[in-house]
Amino acid sequence: MCGQRMSKIKVAINGFGTIGKRVADAVDAQDDMELVGVTKTGPSFGCDLAVKKGFPLYCTFDEPDRIARFADQGYVCSGGLSDLLAITDVVVDCSPGKTGAENLAKYQAAGVKYMFQGGEKHTLTGRSYTSSANHAENLNVEGTRVVSCNTTGLSRTLVPLYDHCGSLKVECTMIRRAADPGDSGKGPINAIKPVLKVPSHHGPDVMTVKPEIEINSLAVAVPTTIMHTHAITADLPPGHGLTTESILDMWRETPRVIVMHGADNRITTTAEVMEMARDIGRKWGDLHEIFVWEDGVSLQGDRLYYFQAIHQESDVIPENVDCIRALMGTESDWQTSVAKTDAAIDIYYNL
Ligand code: NAD
């Protein structure tokens, strides 16, 4: 611990969509945090979830006519964003990507700490975050960005490898879900769409949290909504001393990584991974962990090949909780924070 805090960290969520509603639950599960409110841009079915959970509902904007619209549809709105920021220690911005710059000015004016998501660029805050890569660098800073679901997934398995080897050269291909299950406006629905900006941003984004890892990536979007899959090739330095089995053991001991044998467990596709996630019982069938197929890992000479699957809507959720502790300086050890975050979430969902 960096120091004892008497009161809970007051957390606001600006943008109660796919990521925001999940971060809200994860924050609500923690005994050192208090969720002081969530924002919606206007009345919609998403407000019902906030009401059901007892989360104070605020309007994303301060204009009185926008706030009044909530009451017109029967929702109690506690005020505008400025009212919410006035009672907040740290705001977690979960707005759609690229709306960050406008929101950042509001957070700075209100004097609150702030966190953005992976839809924003690193340059917005000049900092990025994953729990295992750079928790310490983000201690007590004013604001940062939790990297995207893909970058978080890469960081989970590559950082322990890097920490063992001292250097790492990585090429990877992101096979991306086309849309989240709740999206009706995205595609493709019957095509494979290569990202023609080469290399894609996903791999290089890892270097915003761990600059020492040399990494590039390609990406293609495919017609699925449930997960991303990564096909990864990593060149380890001479003298690394690792074997396929010892790498698997390393990942078995890594927080938020699940290693399972695909053939033995009949879990050979992302559909079965998601079915297993639904069995775990977290809300929305979420899987915070990165899934590595044991039988898809192979070290040949100094070159490591592996596949992993990422539940895009949920792997970043526990990272957001750890990041709040980093910004507030209440937990300096990332592993202690991870253990606390995950235990609280599991109790919340009665696992
Ligand atoms: P979303 O569209 O599901 O939710 C965004 C919410 O913000 C909506 O409720 C929207 O009404 C609200 N909003 C709109 N304008 C706003 C504004 N100016 N200020 C505050 N809120 C506003 O989006 P999402 O999928 O939750 O993505 C949020 C962020 O998380 C993005 O940066 C995205 O790139 C990132 N992210 C998304 C995923 C994913 O798979 N969905 C995974 C990791 C990271």
Side-chain angles (χ1 to χ4, degrees), residues 127-292:
R127 295 183 187 279
S128 295
Y129 178 90
T130 68
S131 306
S132 63
N134 65 346
H135 184 85
E137 284 167 21
N138 283 277
L139 285 173
N140 295 305
V141 302
E142 286 308 302
T144 193
R145 172 189 75 131
V146 173
V147 295
S148 73
C149 50
N150 277 306
T151 306
T152 298
L154 290 168
S155 172
R156 289 258 177 90
T157 49
L158 290 175
V159 167
L161 259 185
Y162 171 82
D163 286 346
H164 177 91
C165 294
S167 75
L168 211 53
K169 217 170 170 177
V170 182
E171 297 290 340
C172 49
T173 301
M174 321 274 97
I175 300 142
R176 296 178 46 228
R177 61 89 178 93
D180 286 339
D183 282 339
S184 60
K186 290 187 183 166
I189 59 168
N190 186 25
I192 296 172
K193 184 179 179 186
V195 174
L196 297 175
K197 184 185 169 299
V198 176
S200 75
H201 70 274
H202 309 88
D205 211 27
V206 172
M207 293 191 277
T208 66
V209 294
K210 199 77 178 170
E212 300 89 343
I213 296 177
E214 285 181 65
I215 176 166
N216 266 316
S217 60
L218 295 172
V220 292
V222 296
T224 179
T225 62
I226 52 179
M227 288 190 108
H228 302 303
T229 300
H230 297 168
I232 301 171
T233 306
D235 287 325
L236 315 187
H240 52 75
L242 292 168
T243 61
T244 302
E245 203 43 54
S246 68
I247 291 168
L248 286 165
D249 284 344
M250 177 189 292
W251 285 334
R252 285 188 188 103
E253 286 165 21
T254 300
R256 300 177 187 158
V257 174
I258 292 176
V259 178
M260 279 180 80
H261 198 282
D264 288 356
N265 291 291
R266 298 188 193 171
I267 191 160
T268 55
T269 74
T270 53
E272 287 126 11
V273 176
M274 280 286 88
E275 189 62 16
M276 182 201 70
R278 285 190 281 273
D279 289 350
I280 290 176
R282 294 192 192 116
K283 203 195 275 183
W284 301 289
D286 283 353
L287 188 67
H288 300 145
E289 297 84 355
I290 305 309
F291 185 95
V292 177

Side-chain angles (χ1 to χ4, degrees), residues 93-104 116-124 145 148 176 186 197 201:
D93 187 293
C94 299
S95 64
K98 304 182 181 58
T99 49
E102 203 179 315
N103 286 347
L104 175 58
F116 289 90
Q117 305 300 318
E120 304 297 337
K121 288 201 161 66
H122 175 77
T123 46
L124 180 69
R145 172 189 75 131
S148 73
R176 296 178 46 228
K186 290 187 183 166
K197 184 185 169 299
H201 70 274

Side-chain angles (χ1 to χ4, degrees), residues 12 35 52 64 78 81 93 100 124 133 198 202 211 241 276 293 340 348:
L35 186 70
K52 190 173 156 201
S78 302
L81 180 65
D93 187 293
L124 180 69
V198 176
H202 309 88
M276 182 201 70
W293 279 277
K340 183 172 173 55
Y348 198 70

